[in-house]
Structures are given as structure tokens and as C-alpha cells.
Amino acid sequence: MLVDSFGRMATDLRVSLTDRCNLRCTYCMPPEGLDWLPKPELLTADEIIRLVGIGVERLGITEVRFTGGEPLLRRELVEIVTATAAFGPRPQISLTTNGIGLARLAGPLAEAGLDRVNVSLDTLDAATFVRLSHRDRLPDVLAGLAAADRVGLRPVKVNTVLMRGVNEDEAVPLLRYCLDKGYELRFIEQMPLDAQHGWQRENMITADEILGRLNGAFELTEDDPGERGSAPAELFLVDGGPQRVGVIGSVTRPFCGACDRVRITADGQVRNCLFATEESDLRAALRGGATDDDLAERWMAAVRGKKAGHGIDDPAFLQPARPMSAIGG
Ligand code: SAM
């Protein structure tokens, strides 16, 4: 099992399939994009499938989330999901995506065994979408969401990052939209993971501010906190429920004590925390002929060294060298 020195067990695996993205969200990367990983450095589909299999069949992984970069850009995505669904015990399989291309791929992904999706949507305004992501693709995202819902990739969850002076006034309209469509909205505090290192605490819209804005328009009551477990989102019933909204206060309300996540980057590095400054190279081991036992051993050692918390509030905090897009959010 993947247990750290504080007794936390990693059961939720986030696998980044590519560091490339077709949007340029300002909280993630600069408008010109980044130097993408050269193809030979990316894990192949077979390598990804092998590692996922080791995680599920030997190391107690029960949930696999594919992410990126933009995972829909990975040509072998359907093949990778199909192979993941064949491992036993069958893990829950989900995808974090910006939704571009999901209108076409939702059906094949559901057939392959994908259980649900998280779609990122920060605005309902086309001009703000362009300002925020440097691409004019809002209709594609909304079509992707609708397709996911239609083929049953439910609950369809929506991730929103609010930014001061950009989309901070959209908390209420976004929640109304999601309630109307039957999607479950989660607001995420902006974290210091942008490639430009432009994050500033005073510009972050905090969980308290988000709740303040929502409370003006809806009646929010805390959903059974005993049920939260390792989930990053604090959940609230909206107007008595059953529909809910979540707030992920990664910075101001950290949940590291209950963290059950471990990540593999698109180039095969194990990261035991989003904010880790050290990684363990499974790709070199894979390509050097390591056995499944060797790989499992390295992976366990990587998790054992996980720190107690992300330390954003620590004066000695250092932003990781990898931006979010190259880690896998
Ligand atoms: N491209 C996919 C997408 O847009 O969902 C998957 C990768 S993206 C890095 C995953 C999630 O991380 C998105 O919901 C995005 O909004 C979020 N994200 C990216 N940078 C962030 C930051 N600096 N702070 C908080 N969330 C961030």
C-alpha cells in the first residue's frame, strides 16, 4: 500500500497524460504557452497502462483520474481508459478536462469505462473567456459539458477558479447555471502553481469571499461534514438541497491531513503532493527494465516521504518548479 510516514494512505491516483493544453488560462501559463515536453520524454500509452495496473492491482489505488495539460489531446485516451477499466478491483475512473473536444469524445469515453468528468469553466461570458484563456472556445466547453451529461458521465462536476477583477462577479451566475443544468459546481482557490510565478495572495479570492458572495443569493447549509473524508471540497446544500456546491480552499483551508492523492506526471515522475519539490523517476526505472516489484517499491518509497502539509503559509515556502499544467491538476 502507498502509506506515508503520517499514516495517510494514497488511494486516489492522478495521471497526467500530456503537459500540452489548447487553452492558456492566465492562472496556469503565459499566453505564448510553454516549452512542451519532447515526445520521447512522455510515457507511452503502454507505460501509462502498466503503471496504472501496478497502482490498482498491487498498491491499493481505487480511483484513477486522468488529467494534464489537456487529457483530451492525448490520442490514446480511449485506449488508456479501456485498459484501466479492465484492472481489478475495477477503479473509479474520471477525467479533468477543459471540455474542448468532449462533445465528440464523451460517448466513446463512456463506452470505454469512464465514470465521470470534471470540466473547468471559469466564466459564462464569451469575452471574459477569451480574456482568461486567450482562446475563443466557450461554446465548445458548454457543448462538451452537455455531451458528458447526455451520455451519463455523472455527476458532471464543474471546476471554477475566481480571479479578482476578472470573473469574481460570476460566482452567482455560474452556480445558477450549474443548478439549472444539474451539474455540481466547485470553486477552487487560486494556488501558486502558475508558470509565470504571478500568484499573489492578496489577489486570490478566498473560500470565505466565495461563500460570502453565494450566501447573498442562496441559502447554503453545510452538508454533513462527517461525510467529507478525503474530499478536497467542503460541500454545501443549496437552498435546502439536494443540489450542492463545493468550495476547495486549498490555500486558506488546507486539507493535507486527509490527503489521499498521489500523482504521476506525463513524463513518469511520481509526485506525492501538488507542491512537492522532489519527484521520483519511474520512467527511468521502467525504461531500464525494472520489474513490477521494483516499480512498486520505488512508488511506495516516494509516497513514504510525503510532507505533513503543502506549507504555502510557511515563510520558507517555495513554489514547485513545475507549473500546474506539467504536474497534472
Ligand atoms: N486541462 C484540464 C482542465 O482544464 O481541467 C486539466 C488540467 S487543469 C491544470 C486542472 C484544473 O486545475 C483545472 O480545473 C484548472 O482550473 C485548475 N488550475 C490550474 N491552475 C490552477 C491554479 N493556479 N490554482 C487553482 N487551480 C488551478
Side-chain angles (χ1 to χ4, degrees):
M1 295 290 157
L2 296 167
V3 185
D4 68 36
S5 63
F6 300 94
R8 293 168 299 192
M9 198 182 293
T11 54
D12 180 344
L13 172 62
R14 310 277 164 116
V15 184
S16 175
L17 299 181
T18 175
D19 60 328
R20 288 173 187 261
C21 194
N22 40 10
L23 295 182
R24 300 284 181 269
C25 302
T26 52
Y27 49 71
C28 197
M29 63 174 80
E32 66 275 16
L34 297 167
D35 290 331
W36 312 123
L37 287 165
K39 196 161 179 217
E41 291 189 17
L42 294 179
L43 293 183
T44 64
D46 285 347
E47 289 170 337
I48 292 167
I49 292 165
R50 182 168 170 209
L51 290 181
V52 170
I54 293 170
V56 171
E57 300 202 322
R58 293 172 175 241
L59 295 174
I61 292 296
T62 56
E63 287 187 57
V64 179
R65 170 92 62 99
F66 295 109
T67 180
E70 176 43 51
L72 293 180
L73 294 178
R74 181 84 193 215
R75 242 180 299 149
E76 307 100 328
L77 177 60
V78 171
E79 176 195 330
I80 292 169
V81 170
T82 304
T84 301
F87 290 123
R90 186 199 187 284
Q92 279 290 305
I93 309 171
S94 57
L95 182 75
T96 302
T97 171
N98 61 30
I100 297 170
L102 193 57
R104 181 174 57 83
L105 280 165
L109 284 169
E111 262 172 48
L114 187 71
D115 295 304
R116 54 170 206 82
V117 287
N118 279 49
V119 178
S120 304
L121 174 68
D122 298 319
T123 177
L124 291 167
D125 179 78
T128 307
F129 192 96
V130 175
R131 182 172 167 212
L132 211 153
S133 69
H134 296 97
R135 299 288 185 274
D136 191 5
R137 305 299 296 267
L138 178 61
D140 301 278
V141 178
L142 300 182
L145 271 163
D149 190 41
R150 208 164 40 242
V151 303
L153 294 173
R154 299 197 196 107
V156 173
K157 295 186 184 174
V158 171
N159 291 348
T160 298
V161 178
L162 292 180
M163 278 165 296
R164 208 169 293 291
V166 181
N167 61 344
E168 64 184 308
D169 55 346
E170 290 205 55
V172 170
L174 277 163
L175 181 52
R176 279 199 209 292
Y177 179 82
C178 289
L179 293 173
D180 180 50
K181 298 285 183 188
Y183 309 151
E184 206 168 288
L185 177 61
R186 275 146 171 64
F187 291 98
I188 310 176
E189 279 180 348
Q190 188 181 348
M191 295 178 276
L193 285 170
D194 57 311
Q196 316 86 301
H197 290 226
W199 180 88
Q200 287 179 320
R201 183 177 292 268
E202 56 277 18
N203 283 341
M204 175 181 62
I205 310 283
T206 64
D208 282 351
E209 278 183 86
I210 296 164
L211 289 170
R213 284 169 187 273
L214 296 179
N215 269 315
F218 305 95
E219 192 188 324
L220 300 187
T221 44
E222 212 173 329
D223 199 17
D224 187 357
E227 294 286 301
R228 183 174 173 193
S230 57
E234 286 175 70
L235 291 174
F236 299 85
L237 296 173
V238 183
D239 294 336
Q243 285 181 292
R244 301 184 299 183
V245 63
V247 178
I248 303 182
S250 318
V251 179
T252 64
R253 302 178 178 195
F255 35 86
C256 304
C259 178
D260 65 353
R261 282 168 288 285
V262 61
R263 293 179 156 78
I264 295 181
T265 64
D267 55 345
Q269 311 298 306
V270 177
R271 294 181 63 87
N272 57 27
C273 173
L274 260 184
F275 295 93
T277 46
E278 285 171 21
E279 305 180 331
S280 293
D281 189 356
L282 289 190
R283 186 191 60 196
L286 264 171
R287 295 185 181 172
T291 63
D292 285 1
D293 281 345
D294 295 335
L295 292 166
E297 197 49 58
R298 279 170 186 263
W299 195 340
M300 286 190 289
V303 170
R304 223 172 283 135
K306 179 164 169 159
K307 292 191 177 149
H310 57 43
I312 297 174
D313 274 330
D314 188 326
F317 173 76
L318 278 183
Q319 184 171 337
R322 277 184 196 258
M324 184 69 131
S325 58
I327 296 173

